[in-house]
Amino acid sequence: MPLTSQAPGTLWIVATPLGNPGDLSPRARHIVSTADVLLSEDTRRTGQLLARCGITARRLMSFHDRNEAERQDEVLRLLHDGQQLALVSDAGTPLVADPGYRLVRACRAQGIRVSPVPGPSAPVTALSAAGIPPLPFTFLGFLPRDDAGRRQLFTAFARTPGSLVFFERKDRLPASLAVAAAVLGPREAAVCRELTKTHEEFILFRLEDHQRLSHELLGEITVIIGPPEQQERAAEDEARTCLRRLAAGHPSARSKELARLAQPELPGWSVKELYELLTRDDS
């Protein structure tokens, strides 16, 4: 891209409230009201926030997962022309499970200033009030939509010390918690919903008791799963390898017997879970 002789503008990464408009900082208010262009994940939702805060943006431009690639050249051109642009997501801190990474990386590569305007972030907000060990923690973003993808992700982080934090839709929450319980074993957990809003709620429970949760949970959901307890749980791939080895050495053994033989070798696994793993793989 040809560069002009004019000094490029700045891309401001602006955190916006999760729900309570009072959480918009004075600095964030100034940036979004004075920026030449406000890049918005959802212009309708951003417009509603601005109206509640009494702010009028100079120009709103949609910038989301589906158009990020095609909009990037236009955005970079505006920045090279010296304009000030601010990037916001629907709520919280942009790039944290929201669009913008490719744009920020391109700006860095082209010498365009990128400056954060920090503020609300759902993972940190949830960790601050849930009462589950906050450090260290690993943020997983939005989980894969299918059980196989979720199982693979949880297996990869099963031995990670510290808490796991992720976003999930209410309709997929029961299935995701079931996979998490099977892969991660007994742990503390919390479902944090509607953070900073009128119906804010922190539901603390044991991951192995996830079936007791209501399936009628509404709103935006952040899930925290506490650190591994006592001994680390053997990874699911390790459990499968162990079961295959035992099956080869005991060809006449039934699945329940194989599960009982494997259990002492696999920390964090119950005989029932190993039996269910065997029957699921055989189906």
Side-chain angles (χ1 to χ4, degrees):
M1 174 184 298
L3 303 183
T4 67
S5 59
Q6 184 175 6
T10 297
L11 175 65
W12 302 92
I13 309 299
V14 184
T16 54
L18 301 175
N20 191 322
D23 291 335
L24 186 69
S25 72
R27 182 166 174 247
R29 174 185 290 271
H30 172 73
I31 293 295
V32 299
S33 60
T34 59
D36 296 298
V37 181
L38 186 57
L39 303 175
S40 168
E41 186 178 6
D42 183 331
T43 56
R44 182 184 60 83
R45 291 187 62 174
T46 299
Q48 291 172 347
L49 170 64
L50 297 179
R52 289 198 301 271
C53 296
I55 298 171
T56 301
R58 293 182 177 179
R59 177 187 174 190
L60 273 173
M61 178 188 295
S62 66
F63 191 85
H64 46 70
D65 285 327
R66 296 179 301 282
N67 72 0
E68 183 176 0
E70 64 187 60
R71 277 279 161 88
Q72 181 167 296
D73 285 347
E74 180 182 359
V75 170
L76 291 171
R77 187 161 50 249
L78 292 171
L79 287 163
H80 279 299
D81 286 343
Q83 295 200 36
Q84 301 293 309
L85 273 66
L87 173 67
V88 299
S89 62
D90 286 347
T93 301
L95 277 74
V96 182
D98 288 321
Y101 164 72
R102 286 182 293 184
L103 175 61
V104 169
R105 189 172 178 86
C107 287
R108 291 295 183 192
Q110 297 186 22
I112 297 172
R113 182 187 177 206
V114 180
S115 185
V117 183
S121 173
V124 174
T125 300
L127 283 165
S128 73
I132 291 178
L135 291 174
F137 77 90
T138 300
F139 178 54
L140 305 179
F142 287 97
L143 297 187
R145 296 185 178 187
D146 59 292
D147 274 359
R150 290 189 284 254
R151 191 174 301 278
Q152 183 179 12
L153 181 64
F154 285 132
T155 298
F157 289 94
R159 299 192 179 196
T160 301
S163 297
L164 302 176
V165 185
F166 57 89
F167 298 151
E168 189 52 288
R169 285 178 40 171
K170 58 184 176 62
D171 56 321
R172 291 200 291 261
L173 181 63
S176 292
L177 292 177
V179 174
V183 174
L184 302 176
R187 301 193 186 196
E188 292 183 308
V191 167
C192 315
R193 54 178 293 272
E194 294 293 87
L195 293 171
T196 77
K197 300 177 184 178
T198 302
H199 300 292
E200 176 182 86
E201 184 178 20
F202 288 80
I203 305 171
L204 305 179
F205 60 101
R206 296 288 307 177
L207 185 56
E208 60 269 29
D209 297 330
H210 66 91
Q211 302 95 332
R212 299 180 183 179
L213 264 66
S214 169
H215 290 184
E216 303 302 320
L217 297 176
L218 301 177
E220 304 290 334
I221 294 175
T222 302
V223 180
I224 304 174
I225 296 177
E229 298 180 353
Q230 299 175 353
Q231 55 186 350
E232 291 184 348
R233 176 182 171 91
E236 192 168 298
D237 286 348
E238 183 179 343
R240 285 195 171 95
T241 300
C242 177
L243 289 167
R244 284 196 295 267
R245 173 173 53 80
L246 290 171
H250 302 80
S252 61
R254 296 177 178 272
S255 293
K256 287 185 179 179
E257 179 60 20
L258 290 173
R260 282 193 289 269
L261 290 171
Q263 196 274 331
E265 297 184 35
L266 298 169
W269 287 82
S270 67
V271 172
K272 179 183 177 183
E273 289 173 328
L274 291 168
Y275 173 74
E276 290 174 348
L277 181 61
L278 272 169
T279 55
R280 183 171 67 242
D281 287 349
D282 288 341
S283 61

